[in-house]
Amino acid sequence: MATVQELRDKLRRPLERELLTGCQNRVVAGGVEKLLENLARPFPNVREMLRGYADMNLPTREEKLREALALLTEGGAAKKAASVSPTKSVTIEVGGKLPPSLEVAKLDLGPGGAKKLHALGLRTLRDVLHHYPRRHEDRRALPNLEEVEEGQKLTVAGVVVSKSRRTPKPGMLILEAVLLDEWNNRVRCSWFGQPWVERQLREGARLVVTGRVKKFGRSVQLGVEYFESEDDVKDSLSIGRIVGVYDAKEGTSQAFLRKVAHKVLTETDLSDYLPITTRQKVGLTDLPDALAGMHFPTDEFHLARALERLRFDEYLFLELRMLLQGEDGVLLGKRISATNEDIATFEASLPFRFTNAQRRVLLEIADDMRGERQMARLVQGDVGSGKTAVAACALYLATRDSYQGALMAPTEILARQHFASLTTYLYPLGVRVGLLIGAMTAKQKADVVKALETGELDVVVGTQALIQEGVSFHNLGLAVVDEEHRFGVQQRRKLLQDRPDVLVMSATPIPRSLALTAYGDLELSIIDELPPGRTPIETKLLQDTQRRAAYGFVMSQVREGRQAYVVTALIEENEKLELLAATQLYDNLRELLPEARVTLLHGKMSATEKDDVMARFRAHEFDVLVSTTVIEVGVDVPNATVMVIENAERFGLSQLHQLRGRVGRGSHKSYCVLVAGEHSKKTRQRLKVIENSTDGFVIAEADLKLRGPGELRGTRQSGIPDLKLGDIVSDVEIIERARDLAKTILKSDPTLSHPRLTALREELSQRASQVAYREVI
Ligand code: ADP
Ligand code: MG
């Protein structure tokens, strides 16, 4: 007979795990209520407290859990009052310092200060401390202007000595200013199409300007991407040092954010949640040093040290969360018979044979589907390797067992395209496929929703519309999530809750150990072979002086009846500029290619507009499609044989590789032309990789080796909400160390209940609830 204490512990542990992993209702199959059914009989008040848990929102779940846990702790009732989240009881001063949980509203930040922070999602001091700069700029000294290279990114501080405006064409505005730095160097700065800048270009104004270098003989010109004006510059936090640049909103200056970060850093109690012995064992700096180094590094070593620690922490908490979740985490899914005969039937209906790699992956999938555990598998394969064909087969297997299937794509364009190919694969086999996207009329949507409910439809393809309210399935057995290049962690999690088997497709090659970390519970299958008979895409690297030749080639292909994409780079931090660049390119091409029918696609268009342009391009109403990177996620127009990428130097290699994969999908020979706007040696070396290789894995590796530290952090692409700093592609070593530490910690203390770990545990639950929050919105 178990003692009350034992029973209590038995119930308490999973509930604690639930709390620590962000109240996801996933710690045991069937969720918290199932757990209560079995274990909470002796504790009716706990049962009562957590009744309806699945339907509570996250803050309520957290609150109720904490209350329930207080009841389950010895002398629970007495402690109940104190249990209401200790992080919320503010204004306890620790050694004269403010607690990190203090609301920013309690600080004196001037009029509207707190509001500005709220707009950025920053509510507490802790939030401010962990709102890291998006990048850092070295403003310690001006580099020698004689030595700067064409195309290099440069920051210059100086006084405006003259300014001018030009409108070379109607609707095109170029502002220029000459800056004089403190060594009397002159730098000519230009802004394209940003009339709002003009106001700040008074003569005598002090500016810090960052942009790309263009050299004309000995003079240096900057195409400005980013600048700060007088008020900011006067501030010692913003000049003469390595300066962090934060994500901000219109009306919130960098100077303000720096000032706040500085104030919070100096006034907050920054005691470390990692016990000192642990920290020393893994050789990391302490938290105060790391946070200071992140916001206001004294030099590059300080910054490196800070990044290492904070990155490590991200992985540590990610690993802790996953280990805690995984313990009882055998989630029951559907058992789908997935017979070999059905696979054979599917293959026999294809106009081709599966490659060996496709076959191997399919067997892995079928194996998972047959099992009782919920399948969670990532199929990774280069663009065109045949992932969609494999997914179609898996969907067929589900429908053969009277289950429904769903395929979710990140964009409407891609959803339509998948709809078309799934229909081709599955319709002949008697499978009914439907489409559900935002652009459909309410009536059309309602029909599909109804058909899904009644089971009239076997397979549905759609966007996020699929996980929105009102959509319920008759019997969902398999969900396929196409993440291509963008991962959609939140969507995946939401689909997982209905416990269908889940297959994720991704074209981004990441090494196995990293994929496992990033996806936690996902198993990995790799399609490492392309279907036979592909003529490799021919890639040519040109300089922008050779643009005419490039478009001459486009025209010759158009005359042969082919179509072309022209893509222009995303300009970081500035959507307006990006749109402008695309529009200008479009105007430019209409002049350059008068015989071709040219159209434009950009991110500011509505989904319907985008769809319309794409549909018409596919129908060959246009020859040339000019686009910002919105087509990156994939379109399938077999007649398109040329991909021109302007400003190719601004793209990562993997991104270029993805873009290139949009051609070469038909029987015609295809080409990719990279137009590099500038040609520093390093850029050239990088782009050469794309010219010389078509292997996504080779390219991903080279990308890693060649990109400088701090350039292009991978997390923005990885979409893993735990990671702000970590880059799953390059952090192998750090991930392993963090994982080891997480394991060691949990081995000696599975629920982190030792007082020495209280701070760590608090931090974990803080991070978990933030992650959960980010996933839900
Ligand atoms: P992915 O989804 O990986 O980009 P798809 O499944 O869309 O790749 O396949 C790309 C193209 O190759 C499609 O036109 C598809 O019909 C074709 N394909 C897929 N598998 C094979 C194969 N084994 N042999 C020949 N062609 C194939
Ligand atoms: Mg695909």
mmCIF file of all heavy atoms in Angstrom, residues 21 45 114 189 243 265 272 305 382 395 419 436 506 553 558 573 625 657 733 743 749 760:
data_model
loop_
_atom_site.group_PDB
_atom_site.id
_atom_site.type_symbol
_atom_site.label_atom_id
_atom_site.label_comp_id
_atom_site.label_asym_id
_atom_site.label_seq_id
_atom_site.Cartn_x
_atom_site.Cartn_y
_atom_site.Cartn_z
ATOM 1 N N THR A 21 7.238 22.715 -18.708
ATOM 2 C CA THR A 21 7.319 22.652 -20.166
ATOM 3 C C THR A 21 6.251 23.526 -20.830
ATOM 4 O O THR A 21 5.875 23.313 -21.969
ATOM 5 C CB THR A 21 7.206 21.206 -20.678
ATOM 6 O OG1 THR A 21 6.012 20.627 -20.137
ATOM 7 C CG2 THR A 21 8.393 20.384 -20.257
ATOM 8 N N ASN A 45 -9.718 17.801 -4.265
ATOM 9 C CA ASN A 45 -9.613 19.256 -4.466
ATOM 10 C C ASN A 45 -8.688 19.597 -5.637
ATOM 11 O O ASN A 45 -8.919 20.568 -6.358
ATOM 12 C CB ASN A 45 -9.176 19.969 -3.181
ATOM 13 C CG ASN A 45 -7.998 19.275 -2.521
ATOM 14 O OD1 ASN A 45 -7.545 18.234 -3.011
ATOM 15 N ND2 ASN A 45 -7.515 19.837 -1.434
ATOM 16 N N ALA A 114 7.358 53.332 -20.967
ATOM 17 C CA ALA A 114 6.904 51.962 -20.748
ATOM 18 C C ALA A 114 6.049 51.487 -21.915
ATOM 19 O O ALA A 114 6.126 50.339 -22.345
ATOM 20 C CB ALA A 114 6.122 51.878 -19.447
ATOM 21 N N CYS A 189 26.797 59.983 -49.054
ATOM 22 C CA CYS A 189 25.789 58.991 -48.663
ATOM 23 C C CYS A 189 24.531 59.182 -49.503
ATOM 24 O O CYS A 189 24.138 60.312 -49.760
ATOM 25 C CB CYS A 189 25.402 59.165 -47.202
ATOM 26 S SG CYS A 189 26.813 59.142 -46.117
ATOM 27 N N VAL A 243 28.398 48.755 -30.753
ATOM 28 C CA VAL A 243 27.041 49.171 -30.431
ATOM 29 C C VAL A 243 26.041 48.121 -30.897
ATOM 30 O O VAL A 243 26.159 47.602 -32.003
ATOM 31 C CB VAL A 243 26.742 50.518 -31.129
ATOM 32 C CG1 VAL A 243 25.293 50.897 -30.974
ATOM 33 C CG2 VAL A 243 27.645 51.596 -30.575
ATOM 34 N N LEU A 265 20.247 47.112 -16.832
ATOM 35 C CA LEU A 265 21.443 46.316 -16.515
ATOM 36 C C LEU A 265 22.071 46.735 -15.194
ATOM 37 O O LEU A 265 22.491 45.899 -14.402
ATOM 38 C CB LEU A 265 22.498 46.518 -17.598
ATOM 39 C CG LEU A 265 22.614 45.468 -18.676
ATOM 40 C CD1 LEU A 265 23.663 45.904 -19.685
ATOM 41 C CD2 LEU A 265 22.975 44.116 -18.100
ATOM 42 N N ASP A 272 22.804 34.754 -10.950
ATOM 43 C CA ASP A 272 22.856 33.713 -11.978
ATOM 44 C C ASP A 272 21.970 32.533 -11.616
ATOM 45 O O ASP A 272 21.995 32.065 -10.492
ATOM 46 C CB ASP A 272 24.303 33.258 -12.135
ATOM 47 C CG ASP A 272 24.555 32.664 -13.504
ATOM 48 O OD1 ASP A 272 23.610 32.103 -14.089
ATOM 49 O OD2 ASP A 272 25.687 32.781 -13.990
ATOM 50 N N ARG A 305 32.198 36.107 -25.618
ATOM 51 C CA ARG A 305 31.965 35.405 -24.361
ATOM 52 C C ARG A 305 30.474 35.447 -24.001
ATOM 53 O O ARG A 305 29.884 34.466 -23.583
ATOM 54 C CB ARG A 305 32.777 36.165 -23.322
ATOM 55 C CG ARG A 305 32.987 35.568 -22.007
ATOM 56 C CD ARG A 305 34.214 36.226 -21.383
ATOM 57 N NE ARG A 305 33.876 37.531 -20.792
ATOM 58 C CZ ARG A 305 34.611 38.639 -20.918
ATOM 59 N NH1 ARG A 305 35.722 38.634 -21.617
ATOM 60 N NH2 ARG A 305 34.233 39.764 -20.361
ATOM 61 N N ASP A 382 16.569 17.487 -50.920
ATOM 62 C CA ASP A 382 16.800 18.662 -51.725
ATOM 63 C C ASP A 382 15.559 18.982 -52.572
ATOM 64 O O ASP A 382 14.716 18.116 -52.791
ATOM 65 C CB ASP A 382 17.999 18.392 -52.640
ATOM 66 C CG ASP A 382 18.830 19.647 -52.810
ATOM 67 O OD1 ASP A 382 18.291 20.742 -52.563
ATOM 68 O OD2 ASP A 382 20.005 19.518 -53.182
ATOM 69 N N LEU A 395 -0.154 9.723 -47.819
ATOM 70 C CA LEU A 395 -1.554 10.140 -47.702
ATOM 71 C C LEU A 395 -2.469 9.055 -48.273
ATOM 72 O O LEU A 395 -3.530 8.753 -47.722
ATOM 73 C CB LEU A 395 -1.772 11.471 -48.429
ATOM 74 C CG LEU A 395 -1.171 12.697 -47.727
ATOM 75 C CD1 LEU A 395 -1.108 13.894 -48.665
ATOM 76 C CD2 LEU A 395 -1.987 13.044 -46.473
ATOM 77 N N PHE A 419 -1.989 21.163 -54.188
ATOM 78 C CA PHE A 419 -3.327 20.673 -54.518
ATOM 79 C C PHE A 419 -3.306 20.081 -55.927
ATOM 80 O O PHE A 419 -3.792 18.971 -56.172
ATOM 81 C CB PHE A 419 -4.341 21.814 -54.417
ATOM 82 C CG PHE A 419 -5.719 21.443 -54.872
ATOM 83 C CD1 PHE A 419 -6.444 20.460 -54.216
ATOM 84 C CD2 PHE A 419 -6.297 22.081 -55.968
ATOM 85 C CE1 PHE A 419 -7.726 20.117 -54.631
ATOM 86 C CE2 PHE A 419 -7.571 21.741 -56.387
ATOM 87 C CZ PHE A 419 -8.282 20.759 -55.725
ATOM 88 N N LEU A 436 -8.318 24.208 -49.223
ATOM 89 C CA LEU A 436 -8.882 25.173 -48.282
ATOM 90 C C LEU A 436 -7.866 26.294 -48.027
ATOM 91 O O LEU A 436 -6.881 26.101 -47.328
ATOM 92 C CB LEU A 436 -9.231 24.488 -46.958
ATOM 93 C CG LEU A 436 -9.993 25.343 -45.951
ATOM 94 C CD1 LEU A 436 -11.371 25.701 -46.483
ATOM 95 C CD2 LEU A 436 -10.125 24.623 -44.617
ATOM 96 N N SER A 506 10.978 19.029 -45.429
ATOM 97 C CA SER A 506 11.826 20.212 -45.442
ATOM 98 C C SER A 506 12.945 20.060 -46.450
ATOM 99 O O SER A 506 13.496 18.988 -46.618
ATOM 100 C CB SER A 506 12.424 20.443 -44.060
ATOM 101 O OG SER A 506 13.476 21.366 -44.155
ATOM 102 N N PHE A 553 20.028 37.150 -72.754
ATOM 103 C CA PHE A 553 19.824 35.706 -72.680
ATOM 104 C C PHE A 553 18.377 35.384 -72.290
ATOM 105 O O PHE A 553 17.736 34.504 -72.869
ATOM 106 C CB PHE A 553 20.804 35.084 -71.687
ATOM 107 C CG PHE A 553 20.617 33.618 -71.544
ATOM 108 C CD1 PHE A 553 20.963 32.751 -72.580
ATOM 109 C CD2 PHE A 553 20.044 33.084 -70.394
ATOM 110 C CE1 PHE A 553 20.762 31.390 -72.462
ATOM 111 C CE2 PHE A 553 19.838 31.730 -70.280
ATOM 112 C CZ PHE A 553 20.194 30.878 -71.308
ATOM 113 N N VAL A 558 12.877 33.591 -73.917
ATOM 114 C CA VAL A 558 11.479 33.977 -74.076
ATOM 115 C C VAL A 558 11.052 33.782 -75.537
ATOM 116 O O VAL A 558 9.959 33.298 -75.822
ATOM 117 C CB VAL A 558 11.255 35.443 -73.624
ATOM 118 C CG1 VAL A 558 9.903 35.958 -74.080
ATOM 119 C CG2 VAL A 558 11.380 35.544 -72.106
ATOM 120 N N GLU A 573 15.690 44.890 -42.744
ATOM 121 C CA GLU A 573 15.142 45.962 -41.920
ATOM 122 C C GLU A 573 14.383 47.030 -42.698
ATOM 123 O O GLU A 573 14.091 48.077 -42.185
ATOM 124 C CB GLU A 573 16.256 46.665 -41.118
ATOM 125 C CG GLU A 573 16.858 45.772 -40.067
ATOM 126 C CD GLU A 573 18.251 46.217 -39.678
ATOM 127 O OE1 GLU A 573 18.489 47.433 -39.688
ATOM 128 O OE2 GLU A 573 19.076 45.354 -39.380
ATOM 129 N N LEU A 625 8.557 37.052 -64.706
ATOM 130 C CA LEU A 625 7.984 37.394 -63.409
ATOM 131 C C LEU A 625 9.066 38.036 -62.541
ATOM 132 O O LEU A 625 10.042 37.390 -62.189
ATOM 133 C CB LEU A 625 7.466 36.136 -62.718
ATOM 134 C CG LEU A 625 6.918 36.329 -61.302
ATOM 135 C CD1 LEU A 625 5.580 37.051 -61.342
ATOM 136 C CD2 LEU A 625 6.758 35.003 -60.597
ATOM 137 N N HIS A 657 20.328 28.550 -53.470
ATOM 138 C CA HIS A 657 20.107 27.198 -53.952
ATOM 139 C C HIS A 657 18.603 26.894 -54.039
ATOM 140 O O HIS A 657 18.122 26.299 -54.996
ATOM 141 C CB HIS A 657 20.811 26.214 -53.023
ATOM 142 C CG HIS A 657 20.611 24.787 -53.410
ATOM 143 N ND1 HIS A 657 21.021 24.292 -54.617
ATOM 144 C CD2 HIS A 657 20.024 23.764 -52.753
ATOM 145 C CE1 HIS A 657 20.694 23.010 -54.689
ATOM 146 N NE2 HIS A 657 20.089 22.669 -53.572
ATOM 147 N N GLU A 733 28.658 21.989 -31.533
ATOM 148 C CA GLU A 733 29.461 21.695 -30.359
ATOM 149 C C GLU A 733 28.750 22.207 -29.098
ATOM 150 O O GLU A 733 28.629 21.508 -28.091
ATOM 151 C CB GLU A 733 30.837 22.353 -30.556
ATOM 152 C CG GLU A 733 31.816 22.121 -29.462
ATOM 153 C CD GLU A 733 31.881 23.299 -28.503
ATOM 154 O OE1 GLU A 733 31.319 24.372 -28.824
ATOM 155 O OE2 GLU A 733 32.465 23.137 -27.439
ATOM 156 N N LYS A 743 21.241 16.733 -19.270
ATOM 157 C CA LYS A 743 21.078 15.347 -18.829
ATOM 158 C C LYS A 743 21.640 15.146 -17.430
ATOM 159 O O LYS A 743 21.016 14.507 -16.588
ATOM 160 C CB LYS A 743 21.775 14.398 -19.805
ATOM 161 C CG LYS A 743 20.949 14.142 -21.045
ATOM 162 C CD LYS A 743 21.623 13.079 -21.890
ATOM 163 C CE LYS A 743 20.851 12.862 -23.178
ATOM 164 N NZ LYS A 743 21.717 12.347 -24.250
ATOM 165 N N ASP A 749 18.575 15.234 -10.383
ATOM 166 C CA ASP A 749 17.412 15.896 -9.805
ATOM 167 C C ASP A 749 16.310 16.033 -10.860
ATOM 168 O O ASP A 749 16.143 17.078 -11.473
ATOM 169 C CB ASP A 749 17.847 17.289 -9.299
ATOM 170 C CG ASP A 749 16.744 17.970 -8.496
ATOM 171 O OD1 ASP A 749 15.608 17.445 -8.460
ATOM 172 O OD2 ASP A 749 17.024 19.025 -7.917
ATOM 173 N N LEU A 760 17.107 28.202 -11.460
ATOM 174 C CA LEU A 760 17.134 27.575 -12.782
ATOM 175 C C LEU A 760 15.727 27.159 -13.194
ATOM 176 O O LEU A 760 15.282 27.350 -14.321
ATOM 177 C CB LEU A 760 18.048 26.343 -12.746
ATOM 178 C CG LEU A 760 18.256 25.644 -14.077
ATOM 179 C CD1 LEU A 760 19.213 26.424 -14.949
ATOM 180 C CD2 LEU A 760 18.760 24.225 -13.892
#
